């Protein structure tokens, strides 16, 4: 049976950390290489038990996490783990795809802890990610947030728990403003009369309420910056994406699922007063 100690030992064969050395330094190195804790690695491994190849090993999961976290060029990662580029590519992508397809986000959990009579359960915001210029300059890719080509996603967070309950997108920033993206799929999942807290980019009073001068509502929306920061601690999301564009949603959903698993397991979002 795989344990957190096993992931700790295997991981530090890669990091080079002395297992007899500082525990705090060991945790910092593990997270710097793999983006999460050994405990979350065990949770992911167990949840993939019926999906991962029978000849896969915990090392292969760590390779996938390395690619998400560090986003080095392939030859660097392959050298770090002592395999060929082809072997590293095969197993890292297998586990990134598996992680992306895990059922981690639960839309129905937006109702958790909600007081009776509540009609607003979720806050929503868009976030942009850098990509390589797909072709000659085309304004459809342009993100005003970093003045370059990018893909836009939206993330929904349960107001009461701080859990991520929705993630959707992967569309050209210039063609898909926040409100159009929300109308693509998100609003169709709402119940009748259900409202969503969002910033002034969402000007549709039928579905969205904006914070105005309400300090609590502004604090709720500020939590999105914290979530975005956690997602972008993974360099595949922070740096310009170098892989084929069709793979970006796969990397994104892998990172979002990891982020939610970490929220559920010892790294919660800051609380909002009711």
């Amino acid at each position: 049976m795989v344990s957190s100690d096993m992931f700790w030992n295997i991981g530090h064969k890669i990091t080079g950390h002395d297992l007899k050395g500082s525990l705090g330094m060991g945790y910092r190195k593990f997270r710097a290489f793999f983006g999460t804790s050994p405990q979350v690695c065990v949770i992911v491994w167990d949840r993939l038990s019926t999906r991962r190849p029978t000849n896969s090993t915990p090392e292969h999961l760590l390779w996938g996490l390395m690619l998400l976290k560090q986003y080095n060029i392939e030859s660097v990662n392959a050298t770090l783990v002592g395999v060929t580029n082809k072997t590293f590519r095969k197993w890292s992508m297998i586990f990134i795809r598996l992680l992306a397809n895990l059922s981690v986000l639960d839309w129905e959990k937006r109702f958790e802890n909600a007081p009776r009579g509540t009609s607003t359960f979720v806050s929503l915001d868009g976030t942009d990610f850098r990509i390589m210029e797909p072709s000659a300059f085309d304004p459809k890719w342009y993100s005003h947030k970093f003045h370059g080509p990018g893909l836009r996603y939206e993330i929904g967070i349960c107001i009461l728990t701080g859990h991520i309950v929705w993630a959707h997108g992967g569309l050209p920033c210039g063609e898909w403003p926040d409100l159009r993206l929300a109308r693509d799929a998100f609003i169709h999942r709402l119940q009748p009369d259900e409202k969503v807290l969002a910033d002034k980019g969402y000007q549709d009073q039928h579905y969205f309420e904006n914070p105005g001068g309400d300090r609590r509502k502004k604090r709720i929306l500020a939590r999105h910056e914290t979530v975005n920061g956690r997602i972008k601690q993974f360099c595949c999301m922070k740096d310009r994406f170098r892989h084929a564009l069709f793979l970006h949603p796969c990397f994104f959903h892998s990172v979002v699922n990891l982020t939610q698993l970490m929220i559920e397991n010892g790294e919660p979002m800051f609380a909002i007063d009711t």
Side-chain angles (χ1 to χ4, degrees):
M1 182 177 177
V2 172
S3 66
S4 57
D5 285 342
M6 184 179 293
F7 273 105
W8 175 265
N9 292 335
I10 294 170
H12 283 314
K13 287 181 181 178
I14 298 172
T15 70
H17 178 68
D18 183 355
L19 295 178
K20 297 179 181 178
S22 164
L23 190 62
M25 178 61 73
Y27 274 108
R28 288 193 292 274
K29 279 190 176 181
F30 195 97
R31 185 171 287 264
F33 269 70
F34 309 113
T36 190
S37 67
Q39 291 76 17
V40 170
C41 290
V42 173
I43 292 167
V44 171
W45 182 258
D46 288 345
R47 291 186 66 165
L48 292 174
S49 61
T50 61
R51 303 184 185 188
R52 48 184 161 80
T54 55
N55 61 335
S56 63
T57 68
E59 285 92 340
H60 297 144
L61 171 57
L62 290 176
W63 297 358
L65 296 178
M66 271 183 66
L67 181 54
L68 294 173
K69 173 59 179 173
Q70 298 190 39
Y71 206 50
N72 294 321
I73 60 173
E74 194 171 80
S75 58
V76 171
N77 280 335
T79 300
L80 282 170
V81 301
V83 298
T84 65
N85 289 9
K86 182 178 180 181
T87 300
F88 183 87
R89 184 188 318 125
K90 169 189 171 181
W91 286 107
S92 60
M93 287 308 304
I94 283 174
F95 274 92
I96 287 173
R97 288 189 174 98
L98 287 171
L99 185 51
N101 290 321
L102 265 183
S103 298
V104 175
L105 308 190
D106 187 345
W107 176 241
E108 298 307 312
K109 284 192 173 181
R110 72 192 188 280
F111 302 126
E112 282 192 3
N113 302 334
R116 185 182 296 274
T118 301
S119 60
T120 304
F121 308 98
V122 174
S123 61
L124 185 74
D125 198 17
T127 182
D128 295 357
F129 298 92
R130 301 174 189 271
I131 59 170
M132 305 296 287
E133 191 76 61
S135 59
F137 176 77
D138 187 330
K140 79 174 187 177
W141 301 101
Y142 182 79
S143 167
H144 68 277
K145 295 181 181 179
F146 44 72
H147 306 293
L151 294 178
R152 177 162 295 155
Y153 294 82
E154 62 188 7
I155 294 175
I157 301 174
C158 174
I159 291 173
L160 269 298
T161 65
H163 288 195
I164 303 170
V165 294
W166 176 264
H168 171 70
L171 296 163
C173 294
E175 274 192 340
W176 289 84
D178 289 340
L179 184 56
R180 183 185 178 192
L181 183 57
R183 286 171 171 166
D184 180 56
F186 178 79
I187 63 171
H188 305 296
R189 301 293 299 275
L190 299 175
Q191 293 187 336
D193 300 322
E194 182 177 351
K195 291 290 187 74
V196 179
L197 182 63
D199 64 26
K200 61 184 180 180
Y202 297 84
Q203 291 295 323
D204 184 339
Q205 295 182 359
H206 185 73
Y207 298 106
F208 299 99
E209 58 174 287
N210 306 133
D214 189 308
R215 294 181 63 182
R216 179 177 178 272
K217 291 179 180 178
K218 287 182 177 180
R219 182 170 166 79
I220 291 169
L221 290 180
R223 212 163 41 176
H224 280 272
E225 296 307 314
T226 303
V227 169
N228 292 344
R230 292 191 184 189
I231 290 171
K232 290 180 180 179
Q233 62 134 337
F234 289 87
C235 291
C236 67
M237 294 290 100
K238 181 182 73 173
D239 299 343
R240 196 178 302 276
F241 192 72
R242 302 187 306 270
H243 284 72
L245 208 53
F246 75 89
L247 288 173
H248 196 280
C250 182
F251 278 69
F252 170 78
H253 287 288
S254 294
V255 170
V256 170
N257 283 342
L258 273 174
T259 302
Q260 174 56 25
L261 287 172
M262 288 188 276
I263 290 172
E264 293 175 7
N265 293 277
E267 302 178 34
M269 298 294 296
F270 63 83
I272 300 294
D273 296 332
T274 56

